[in-house]
Every structure is written in C-alpha cells, then in structure tokens.
Amino acid sequence: MKLLLLVGMLTACAAVTQDLSGKMFTFPLETNTTHVKLTTTKQDFNAVTVCQRSFTDLQRSHVLFSLAVSTFSNGFMVLWDGADKELEIYTQNKFAVFGKTDYKQNTWQSICATWDSASGLVQLWLDGLPSVRKFTSSGSNIRGSLIIMLGQEQDSHGGGFDIKQSFVGMLSDVHMWDYVLSACEIQKYVNEQNFTPGNVLNWAALDYQIVEKVMVENKDIEMACI
C-alpha cells in the first residue's frame, strides 16, 4: 500500500521550499480561511503564463489561481464561474470570459492561462486545446508587492475571502513563467513531457506556506491498490 504524505492539517505551517514532483495539494474543506501562499522574488511582470492541474467536484464558482498586488486585487486570476458555466481570466481587475469550455468535474484537467502586456491579449488552454485570444488590459505591467494564493480568491490584497469562491479538491503541477509560453511548451506540459519549468513558480522547487487544513499527498494515492 502506498503511503501518503501529510504536511498540512495545521493552523499555519512555516514556509518551506520543496520538490513537489508527484505530489498534490488537497483542500478537503469548504472554508473562507484555508489556502496555500506561494512566494516568488519577482515583483514585475509584462507577461504571464500559469499552468496547473486540478481535480474537483465543485459545480459552484471557485478560484483556481489568485495573484494580487496592492493596486489590483485581481492582478492575475483564473476563476470558474459556476453560474454562467465559463472560465474567466482576470488581469489588473479586467477580465475575459471563455464559455462553452470542456471544464469537467471529478477528473484531472490541465489548465494554462497566458497574458501579454504589449497586446493585452489573454488565452486559455484546457487540456492542450487553445481558446480564442481575448483582450483584458495592456500598456502597464503587473507590479508591486505580490501575494499569490491557491484555494482562496483575494477580494483585497491578501484577504477578503469568500467561502463560495473557495476551492475544494486537489491541485498539482503549478508553474508560472514571466513570458507567454509557446504552444509547443504548453503541449509538453499537458502531456507531462520534458517541458521548461516555471521561472517564477516551479513545482519542483516550490516556496510555499500552508494555512489551516491543506494536505500534501502523493498524486497517485487515489489509484493505489492494497
């Protein structure tokens, strides 16, 4: 029987840097407090790519990735809108809607989101399939004191959590780049091939802090046999 690794289930853990290859964050409770804070030294972005894998049974709205700066609570965010059944990408409090996507419950899905300041265009990649490009914001960088969270949507810089936008489920393989990842690299990520890891957030060397009830488990635990 494969053993699972429990690092969470604490009020707050000290920040650690860890190779999480083959692991996942499990968010087992619906709360307005539980989250994972991710740390990076970079504070200025003229482009962004975020990729991650998620598994949830939530049908209501829930956040997948939340980056806030002091001037924009939604500096860069990926959100599932359960009411309208659409994925949304926010940059600098502006957002684009991606409807009729094949976002599913109770299965692992790979989600990548990109933004470029020069053009203002964002794009969503769901399981390697690209969306149309849409406009959100252009002409200025995302910069300032960054707070990046998994599990909660920031309505204010580092706070303002809404339990009905919280994430319940599993998240894994979170990477962030300070440039728009090529289509080829995104496909490599989706297919779990030898892709270029994130130069801002790297799942294999992740600096993170768990707040309250989050667990770190082996990603294949649900497939383990006795």
Side-chain angles (χ1 to χ4, degrees):
M1 178 179 180
K2 295 186 179 180
L3 298 178
L4 63 89
L5 175 65
L6 301 181
V7 177
M9 303 304 286
L10 301 175
T11 300
C13 291
V16 296
T17 300
Q18 191 175 10
D19 181 354
L20 293 179
S21 300
K23 308 294 183 184
M24 62 186 180
F25 289 133
T26 296
F27 299 79
L29 293 176
E30 181 180 81
T31 78
N32 63 350
T33 53
T34 297
H35 63 276
V36 179
K37 184 177 180 180
L38 308 181
T39 303
T40 176
T41 58
K42 189 171 178 63
Q43 302 288 302
D44 194 335
F45 296 86
N46 61 15
V48 171
T49 301
V50 170
C51 289
Q52 63 191 115
R53 304 188 214 282
S54 66
F55 190 115
T56 184
D57 65 354
L58 292 175
Q59 297 190 31
R60 63 161 171 79
S61 297
H62 54 272
V63 67
L64 292 165
F65 184 91
S66 174
L67 181 158
V69 294
S70 55
T71 50
F72 300 107
S73 59
N74 296 323
F76 187 89
M77 183 176 72
V78 183
L79 178 84
W80 168 252
D81 184 329
D84 295 326
K85 307 301 180 187
E86 59 196 22
L87 283 162
E88 299 170 354
I89 300 175
Y90 287 71
T91 68
Q92 299 172 322
N93 290 355
K94 309 293 185 181
F95 70 99
V97 171
F98 300 90
K100 300 188 182 301
T101 58
D102 193 23
Y103 187 68
K104 301 174 182 176
Q105 283 75 43
N106 295 309
T107 188
W108 281 106
Q109 289 200 285
S110 298
I111 299 172
C112 294
T114 69
W115 169 75
D116 175 67
S117 173
S119 66
L121 297 180
V122 294
Q123 189 171 29
L124 178 74
W125 294 73
L126 186 58
D127 287 335
L129 298 177
S131 70
V132 298
R133 293 180 174 89
K134 296 189 175 184
F135 181 85
T136 54
S137 62
S138 66
S140 62
N141 289 9
I142 298 170
R143 62 164 59 94
S145 176
L146 265 71
I147 298 178
I148 302 175
M149 287 187 185
L150 304 175
Q152 297 290 342
E153 190 266 320
Q154 301 175 73
D155 282 333
S156 61
H157 190 224
F161 304 148
D162 180 350
I163 193 171
K164 292 305 179 183
Q165 291 182 317
S166 65
F167 180 82
V168 181
M170 291 93 81
L171 294 173
S172 186
D173 300 328
V174 180
H175 290 263
M176 180 176 176
W177 298 259
D178 62 358
Y179 57 91
V180 174
L181 209 61
S182 70
C184 181
E185 283 291 330
I186 289 175
Q187 293 297 338
K188 287 181 180 179
Y189 170 86
V190 171
N191 296 327
E192 301 187 58
Q193 296 174 338
N194 187 24
F195 66 94
T196 303
N199 64 343
V200 179
L201 299 174
N202 180 354
W203 192 249
L206 196 67
D207 188 346
Y208 69 94
Q209 181 181 16
I210 287 175
V211 178
E212 296 196 14
K213 293 178 175 61
V214 182
M215 304 160 68
V216 179
E217 301 182 284
N218 290 330
K219 190 180 174 186
D220 60 356
I221 190 69
E222 69 274 12
M223 299 179 67
C225 296
I226 298 176

